[in-house]
Amino acid sequence: MSLTLALSSTTSSLRTIQSELALASNNIANSDTEGYTVKSATKVNTVSGGSGIGTGVDITGIVSAVDANLLKSIVAATSSSAEATTTADYLQQLSDALGQLSSTDTGSDGLASSLSSLQSAFEELAATPESETLKTQAVLQLADVAATLRDTSAQVQELRANADTDIETAVTSINDSLNAIDSLNDAIVTAQARGQSTVDLEDQRMVLVADLAEQINISYYTDDSGAMTIYTGGQPLLNSQVHELSYQSTNTVTSETVYPGGFDAITLNGVDITTSIKSGNLAALVELRDETLPGVQDQLDTIANDLKDQLNDLSNDGTASPAPQTLTGSLAGLTSGDALSATGTLTVLVADSDGNEVSSTDIDMTTITSVDDLLTTLNAISGVSASLDADGQLVVETTDSTTGIALSGGDVGGDSVSSYFGLNDLMTGSGAENLYVRSDITSDPSLLAVGKVSDTGISLDGGSLAQAMADIIDTDQAAALVADVSTQLTTANAVDTAQSTTLTTLTDSFSSQYGVNIDEETARISELENAYAASAQVLTTIKEMFEALLNAVS
């Protein structure tokens, strides 16, 4: 080999070693950088002309030989893990909100404890139904039960509102990731066209792809130019341009707020994809907002409505003692022309302040075919006035302020007359969200029904009405609700653990294969430094030979 070729080969070796040293150092420096994969140099031997004589080594590219299928598995697992984590997190919050519902411990502020206390209050009242103090305690305890249901319902709706806000945040994150990936697409395409390395840019892009997958299920592929195309459910998110998702969260969320209608649709290219999102944080949030949490609200409403309906039925079968001067129905929107299908006998009692009968009138309800008929018949009773108020509610009252009125019996649509019109309801509301004790009873607990209409006036009947109210109190529904949520949480945590384990296994495998091993890179640097020293020594020797040759011919 000529000295010239030897010099060229040695110089080439030094340049290559320097590049590899820089590459190994860069690998170590980025060992903690998210998504960074170990890089290596692709080298080729160079030859002189057509002689086939080697002249050194050149680096033709910097590569990172990752497994594309493993990457796709990680992306899919990232989506599933994020969905499971979000579900478990929200169910934990829900469990915390409901945690005391099933507790009957003394001093607990949970629903079951309040119901148990309410049952005891009615039982005490049953023993002494004339006690104003015990009436007050029963009404206050019932108000506490209603407040507990309202508060729990409010927490459920707050979680739904939080999920809705998080949906908007997730959509924003998706759009940000898509735009960032699009920018990297442009940079990768440009660099590849210029023959420059794109591996670092590709690492950065995959980090963003993983961020995107946390929010929504995706599929993707990379074309020959280096550009990545991304889809979700067959709809393009990124191709030659970014297709952003659109969503606006709702300002106020109640149990009546539902999708579609109350909540906005998540749209992509003008198409509603809300129900077609299969995994990721976004899928979990939609499921929680529209299915899981409304299911809990339904159970709360069942508890509230069962309590309200049973207590109202009992209250309408009885009367306060003393009877109130005025009864106002809860059924609104009535008109005098409304038809009624009635049977049985309605007893209208006018009683004095001691509950003694002033007058008692029986009405054959088969003769009543309309609201107007009922009003006419009631108004025909001495000392009684009946009308519809501005809200279309039936109002029945005595004309003498020293007397009170009570109704018993009759049948309209399967309910007693008082129950049908809600003349002596104890509770109001359409569910847990707006359950209250009737406001005038809250203000004046003496209006609580504790007696019944009898042949001589109002009878306390040994406290049977209060005892019947105690008997219908049920704490099992609250316990069943908590148990149901607990089961869902246990399942969600198990799924979260399994999905997290799967993702960890895949990422650990990826890291072991394509991550930076500092020990290996350090050893590589040591080898390269030794090789550099050897090449430098060869270069020194060649230099000395050149000098000797020059001296010989000079």
Side-chain angles (χ1 to χ4, degrees):
M1 178 186 294
S2 70
L3 289 179
T4 302
L5 287 176
L7 179 62
S8 174
S9 178
T10 303
T11 305
S12 171
S13 174
L14 287 171
R15 286 197 305 266
T16 299
I17 292 171
Q18 284 178 325
S19 297
E20 290 189 279
L21 280 168
L23 185 57
S25 297
N26 189 60
N27 281 337
I28 292 174
N30 285 283
S31 60
D32 292 328
T33 300
E34 182 184 6
Y36 184 85
T37 57
V38 66
K39 307 301 186 298
S40 60
T42 301
K43 296 174 288 185
V44 295
N45 294 322
T46 59
V47 296
S48 175
S51 66
I53 298 174
T55 59
V57 178
D58 276 345
I59 292 176
T60 60
I62 306 299
V63 297
S64 176
V66 298
D67 183 341
N69 289 327
L70 180 55
L71 278 176
K72 289 189 175 183
S73 295
I74 291 173
V75 167
T78 298
S79 240
S80 297
S81 181
E83 179 184 3
T85 298
T86 298
T87 299
D89 285 348
Y90 265 83
L91 285 176
Q92 183 63 63
Q93 294 178 65
L94 176 62
S95 180
D96 292 343
L98 302 181
Q100 295 299 315
L101 276 183
S102 63
S103 174
T104 56
D105 295 341
T106 302
S108 168
D109 59 357
L111 177 60
S113 175
S114 295
L115 286 169
S116 181
S117 297
L118 175 62
Q119 187 174 50
S120 297
F122 277 132
E123 287 174 343
E124 291 178 16
L125 180 60
T128 316
E130 67 275 9
S131 171
E132 296 300 324
T133 298
L134 294 179
K135 289 179 189 177
T136 299
Q137 289 179 0
V139 169
L140 290 175
Q141 193 58 53
L142 182 57
D144 182 65
V145 169
T148 300
L149 281 164
R150 291 197 308 273
D151 290 346
T152 306
S153 176
Q155 290 180 76
V156 171
Q157 296 312 314
E158 182 179 5
L159 285 174
R160 293 184 73 215
N162 291 344
D164 190 49
T165 300
D166 287 347
I167 288 172
E168 182 176 352
T169 301
V171 167
T172 299
S173 175
I174 288 169
N175 292 336
D176 289 346
S177 294
L178 288 171
N179 282 291
I181 293 170
D182 185 48
S183 296
L184 283 171
N185 267 354
D186 291 342
I188 290 170
V189 170
T190 300
Q192 183 169 302
R194 292 173 177 172
Q196 299 171 344
S197 174
T198 62
V199 286
D200 284 338
L201 294 174
E202 289 174 30
D203 283 350
Q204 295 170 35
R205 184 170 65 182
M206 283 310 304
V207 170
L208 292 170
V209 169
D211 290 343
L212 180 62
E214 283 188 2
Q215 304 301 334
I216 192 170
N217 55 293
I218 60 169
S219 59
Y220 65 92
Y221 71 89
T222 304
D223 62 25
D224 292 339
S225 71
M228 178 179 286
T229 299
I230 303 175
Y231 289 85
T232 183
Q235 291 280 340
L237 288 170
L238 175 63
N239 43 30
S240 59
Q241 65 183 58
V242 173
H243 301 269
E244 292 191 347
L245 271 63
S246 176
Y247 186 75
Q248 178 64 53
S249 60
T250 302
N251 291 328
T252 302
V253 177
T254 70
S255 61
E256 300 299 316
T257 311
V258 297
Y259 165 84
F263 290 114
D264 196 9
I266 303 171
T267 60
L268 173 60
N269 301 318
V271 177
D272 183 356
I273 65 167
T274 306
T275 59
S276 63
I277 300 169
K278 301 304 180 184
S279 64
N281 182 43
L282 202 52
L285 291 169
V286 171
E287 176 76 13
L288 287 159
R289 185 197 68 182
D290 296 343
E291 300 293 338
T292 306
L293 293 170
V296 173
Q297 182 66 51
D298 287 344
Q299 293 181 71
L300 287 171
D301 289 343
T302 296
I303 294 172
N305 288 329
D306 284 353
L307 179 66
K308 179 197 70 174
D309 292 345
Q310 292 182 78
L311 287 178
N312 282 351
D313 284 345
L314 290 170
S315 183
N316 277 292
D317 284 343
T319 177
S321 180
Q325 183 186 1
T326 302
L327 296 174
T328 300
S330 60
L331 180 62
L334 293 169
T335 66
S336 59
D338 288 345
L340 293 177
S341 177
T343 59
T345 300
L346 171 65
T347 298
V348 181
L349 173 70
V350 177
D352 63 21
S353 58
D354 293 323
N356 298 316
E357 178 185 313
V358 174
S359 69
S360 180
T361 304
D362 289 338
I363 300 173
D364 180 1
M365 291 300 293
T366 61
T367 65
I368 305 298
T369 60
S370 67
V371 171
D372 186 56
D373 286 347
L374 181 60
L375 293 174
T376 299
T377 304
L378 290 171
N379 282 320
I381 300 173
S382 176
V384 174
S385 173
S387 62
L388 296 178
D389 65 14
D391 295 322
Q393 296 169 310
L394 177 62
V395 179
V396 184
E397 58 189 339
T398 62
T399 56
D400 183 349
S401 61
T402 64
T403 61
I405 191 163
L407 304 182
S408 177
D411 184 286
V412 181
D415 293 320
S416 70
V417 171
S418 183
S419 288
Y420 179 81
F421 291 102
L423 288 166
N424 202 30
D425 283 352
L426 175 53
M427 306 193 78
T428 64
S430 58
E433 195 169 36
N434 57 0
L435 184 68
Y436 290 91
V437 177
R438 206 177 78 202
S439 60
D440 58 333
I441 296 178
T442 302
S443 301
D444 183 6
S446 69
L447 294 175
L448 177 65
V450 292
K452 295 182 179 180
V453 174
S454 69
D455 293 339
T456 58
I458 296 173
S459 169
L460 296 181
D461 194 26
S464 62
L465 182 57
Q467 186 58 54
M469 291 181 175
D471 291 342
I472 62 95
I473 304 301
D474 180 16
T475 62
D476 290 344
Q477 287 178 304
L481 172 56
V482 173
D484 179 49
V485 172
S486 178
T487 299
Q488 291 185 60
L489 176 59
T490 299
T491 301
N493 282 333
V495 172
D496 185 28
T497 299
Q499 295 293 350
S500 178
T501 300
T502 298
L503 179 59
T504 299
T505 300
L506 290 170
T507 54
D508 285 350
S509 174
F510 185 86
S511 179
S512 67
Q513 294 180 64
Y514 309 113
V516 176
N517 185 314
I518 294 179
D519 290 340
E520 289 180 358
E521 294 301 307
T522 301
R524 176 65 176 157
I525 288 175
S526 179
E527 291 175 2
L528 291 169
E529 286 175 341
N530 290 336
Y532 189 89
S535 293
Q537 183 60 49
V538 171
L539 184 62
T540 299
T541 301
I542 293 172
K543 179 181 178 183
E544 291 173 350
M545 293 175 70
F546 265 115
E547 289 176 348
L549 181 61
L550 288 173
N551 289 333
V553 298
S554 60

